Amino acid sequence: MAGVGGFRGVSAAQDVRFSNKSKAAMKKMKFPTELDLPVDRDKVNWTVMKEWVAKRVTELLGIEEEVLISMIHNHLIDQRTGPKEMHVELLPFLEKNTSLFMKELWAMLHSASSNESGVPQQLLDAKQQELRERREREAAIQVRHKNVRQRARWCSAVPASAGCGVCLQRLGAAAAAVIEGTARMQRHLGFV
């Protein structure tokens, strides 16, 4: 018995050898609930997100994988690629860390798309904390610097016969070290 046009068998769509493997994998997989969050990709600051992706992928893999980072970035920019498809695509690369990465990434993207600046709130908070800690370190250095100067003034007011000459030398060396440390810190932080 011949089929249509004398051909027998099944069509390519019916043959399992030619089926879409990623669709089959998507049906079997359980995805993180964060992937259902709405994301407006036009509002996201992609420069900041690419830096975060690079940092996070490097943390998860232990090495900087530029090809994978570029692939993720391209998937994110492409409006047609959904989060679940991206999850399936990243599975061979990130393996057991794929769900964790996608959960974090999509939560960040959701936050970025709802923020006016296009930057996730978590990153803004981390930057504020970093700046606050930097100011505290600078204030502590200034306090130490002020204390050393006050001690040096007090020690210089005491007569040399009282044995303070050695103390003055020590405080002078300590003050020089603190001043040098302050200058080095200011250069490092970009204030000078």
Side-chain angles (χ1 to χ4, degrees), residues 23-36:
K23 276 189 181 179
M26 283 179 58
K27 288 180 183 176
K28 294 178 185 177
M29 290 182 72
K30 183 178 179 186
F31 296 101
T33 56
E34 285 81 3
L35 299 184
D36 296 329

Side-chain angles (χ1 to χ4, degrees), residues 3-73:
V4 178
F7 294 107
R8 302 172 98 192
V10 296
S11 68
Q14 296 171 333
D15 194 346
V16 293
R17 295 176 296 168
F18 304 110
S19 67
N20 188 345
K21 303 285 191 261
S22 63
K23 276 189 181 179
M26 283 179 58
K27 288 180 183 176
K28 294 178 185 177
M29 290 182 72
K30 183 178 179 186
F31 296 101
T33 56
E34 285 81 3
L35 299 184
D36 296 329
L37 294 172
V39 171
D40 184 359
R41 296 183 191 189
D42 294 328
K43 293 182 179 179
V44 175
N45 183 335
W46 290 112
T47 307
V48 173
M49 286 309 299
K50 187 170 184 178
E51 289 176 19
W52 181 85
V53 166
K55 180 182 170 198
R56 191 64 181 131
V57 166
T58 303
E59 287 173 1
L60 291 173
L61 295 179
I63 58 170
E64 186 175 351
E65 187 64 43
E66 290 185 29
V67 174
L68 179 60
I69 293 166
S70 295
M71 184 182 102
I72 293 169
H73 187 254

Side-chain angles (χ1 to χ4, degrees), residues 125-135 137:
D125 293 342
K127 191 64 171 179
Q128 277 184 327
Q129 181 64 26
E130 179 185 325
L131 291 173
R132 190 176 308 118
E133 289 171 359
R134 181 185 296 174
R135 281 191 297 256
R137 282 193 309 266

Side-chain angles (χ1 to χ4, degrees), residues 1 4 32 44-45 60 69-70 78 80 88 97 100 103 108 117 121 125 130 132 139 143 147 159 171 192:
M1 291 202 179
V4 178
V44 175
N45 183 335
L60 291 173
I69 293 166
S70 295
D78 183 15
R80 295 171 292 165
V88 171
N97 295 321
L100 172 66
K103 183 189 303 185
M108 290 279 214
S117 64
Q121 190 62 42
D125 293 342
E130 179 185 325
R132 190 176 308 118
V143 167
N147 289 342
L171 283 175
V192 178

